[in-house]
């Protein structure tokens, strides 16, 4: 099993950002995050899969971390990029030659 790039200890001190799900209420812990952690993975063009966050709440803590630092882009490695879309969420993408030149 692959090791996640970010774990729950990666963003200590940052609270979970509440999430609004559609027209429903704001929730602090998305469905599926408990009791078994739901990993967030990204399928890459070479056929491999990278686990970016070990749980959904780690991704929510990453949003809080990036917002607090006014950091809109994060590159955990050469293949993956994370973009913060204010008041919406995170965009995980594969960094290719095309989007690196844009």
């Amino acid at each position: 099993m692959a090791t996640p790039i970010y774990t729950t200890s990666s963003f200590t001190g940052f609270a979970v950002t509440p999430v609004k799900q559609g027209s429903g209420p704001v929730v602090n812990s998305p469905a599926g995050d408990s009791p078994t952690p739901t990993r967030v993975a990204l399928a890459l063009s070479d056929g491999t899969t990278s686990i970016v966050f070990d749980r959904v709440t780690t991704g929510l803590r990453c949003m809080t971390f990036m917002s607090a630092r006014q950091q809109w882009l994060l590159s955990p490695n050469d293949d993956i990029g994370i973009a913060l879309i204010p008041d919406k969420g995170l965009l995980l993408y594969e960094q290719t030659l095309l989007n690196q030149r844009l």
Side-chain angles (χ1 to χ4, degrees):
M1 178 64 65
T3 304
I5 296 171
Y6 293 116
T7 62
T8 52
S9 62
S10 299
F11 302 105
T12 55
F14 291 92
V16 173
T17 303
V19 176
K20 183 161 178 62
Q21 296 179 340
S23 60
V26 173
V27 295
N28 287 324
S29 181
D33 192 48
S34 209
T36 306
T38 303
R39 294 178 174 209
V40 178
L42 180 66
L44 304 176
S45 61
D46 63 0
T48 61
T49 301
S50 292
I51 300 171
V52 182
F53 300 117
D54 65 342
R55 330 174 147 242
V56 174
T57 51
T58 304
L60 296 174
R61 289 178 191 274
C62 179
M63 284 176 51
T64 305
F65 169 80
M66 292 175 72
S67 293
R69 298 179 68 203
Q70 295 185 349
Q71 183 174 355
W72 311 118
L73 295 173
L74 185 63
S75 284
N77 62 29
D78 292 337
D79 297 326
I80 297 173
I82 301 172
L84 175 66
I85 303 171
D87 300 325
K88 297 293 180 192
L90 293 177
L91 172 67
L92 303 178
Y93 61 93
E94 180 178 10
Q95 295 192 43
T96 62
L97 181 60
L98 179 63
N99 67 25
Q100 288 176 357
R101 291 183 149 211
L102 295 176

